[in-house]
Amino acid sequence: MGIRITPSILNANLADLNAEIARIPSADGVHLDVMDNRFVPNLTFGLPMVECVRAGTDKLLDIHLMIAEVDRWAPGYAEAGAESVTFHVEASDAPVKLSRELRALGARASMGLRPATPIEPYADLLPELDMVLLMTVEPGFGGQSFLDVMLPKIRRTRALLDAHGGDIWLQVDGGISEQTIERCVEAGADTFVAGSAVYRADDPDAVVRALKVQAEDAAAHRA
Ligand code: DX5
Ligand code: ZN
């Protein structure tokens, strides 16, 4: 199981994102949280900002769209050159069509689920996907506590992915830190968003490296 750490810049200096991204050279990608104050009760930035970030970095851009009418807006992020685009299934009218569009534009297609959304009704969509994002806090804000009640869903999702085969990443997002990452690895996650744990530290890259070592050790014990 490959381990990836994709820090969220939500708690970084949003006015200087490329400089903030340069502080995490060990990260496998950077997770950009797009919020519209409709799907979630918070507002961040949109496509023009992501285009500027793209122009300033070669890092894998992992776009997390927490927006309404996502079918209309998501393809633009793939066109802008983002390597991975996550739409929330609760906000999509046609997730299969959208995933195909994202892939046709060269991006990885990823489906996000709020904590209360079960994975099982969407199991048949797995062939259309490159990643599943499970929220481990209610989406909207960084710095919240990890929801342990999500561990069974991570396990069930891992079982569905293993049964499906292929290489679909399983990302967890919310409250991931050195205190919680091992539980998530044991449950089957392989891709980790950590926001406040990374950017509230004096040395963000040291935290990224520590999380990766911790997760790789836990994954080796799981295997
Ligand atoms: C929350 C966002 C997360 C958030 C994670 O809705 O999707 O990506 O930035 O932040 P932490 O790691 O602080 O929970
Ligand atoms: Zn996120």
Side-chain angles (χ1 to χ4, degrees):
M1 192 160 77
I3 296 290
R4 286 159 291 269
I5 310 290
T6 52
S8 159
I9 47 65
L10 199 55
N11 282 102
N13 176 6
L14 295 178
D16 201 0
L17 275 184
N18 286 106
E20 292 286 58
I21 293 167
R23 294 173 72 201
I24 50 165
S26 304
D28 298 288
V30 57
H31 180 89
L32 301 179
D33 290 299
V34 177
M35 304 186 189
D36 66 350
N37 195 33
R38 291 178 63 197
F39 184 73
V40 288
N42 197 5
L43 187 64
T44 56
F45 48 80
L47 184 56
M49 178 81 106
V50 171
E51 287 169 341
C52 292
V53 172
R54 173 75 295 166
T57 183
D58 290 332
K59 254 208 182 337
L60 182 148
L61 294 186
D62 170 34
I63 311 297
H64 182 190
L65 298 173
M66 287 164 276
I67 59 174
E69 295 176 48
V70 70
D71 304 76
R72 174 179 167 194
W73 296 107
Y77 292 84
E79 281 166 8
E83 285 85 353
S84 176
V85 179
T86 298
F87 60 86
H88 267 267
V89 72
E90 304 90 348
S92 173
D93 292 328
V96 172
K97 179 169 175 277
L98 178 54
S99 299
R100 290 183 181 180
E101 255 181 279
L102 292 171
R103 281 177 159 181
L105 290 166
R108 298 175 62 86
S110 165
M111 178 177 76
L113 277 67
R114 287 176 176 276
T117 305
I119 183 69
E120 286 77 8
Y122 305 104
D124 289 345
L125 273 52
L126 292 181
E128 308 290 340
L129 298 170
D130 299 296
M131 184 166 86
V132 174
L133 179 161
L134 299 181
M135 287 304 308
T136 43
V137 299
E138 287 298 340
F141 300 92
Q144 303 180 74
S145 297
F146 178 78
L147 294 172
D148 266 299
V149 290
M150 290 297 109
L151 289 168
K153 182 159 81 172
I154 301 172
R155 272 187 217 105
R156 294 197 306 274
T157 306
R158 168 49 59 199
L160 288 172
L161 296 184
D162 287 350
H164 170 66
D167 184 25
I168 303 177
W169 300 355
L170 176 48
Q171 187 177 54
V172 284
D173 181 7
I176 304 302
S177 69
E178 290 171 63
Q179 283 70 50
T180 57
I181 195 166
E182 286 172 357
R183 275 175 261 172
C184 295
V185 174
E186 283 156 17
D190 57 18
T191 305
F192 301 90
V193 180
S196 48
V198 168
Y199 275 105
R200 283 185 189 160
D202 292 333
D203 184 349
D205 201 56
V207 176
V208 173
R209 292 193 304 270
L211 287 172
K212 193 150 187 180
V213 168
Q214 220 184 340
E216 281 172 348
D217 283 354
H221 286 104
R222 186 178 184 272

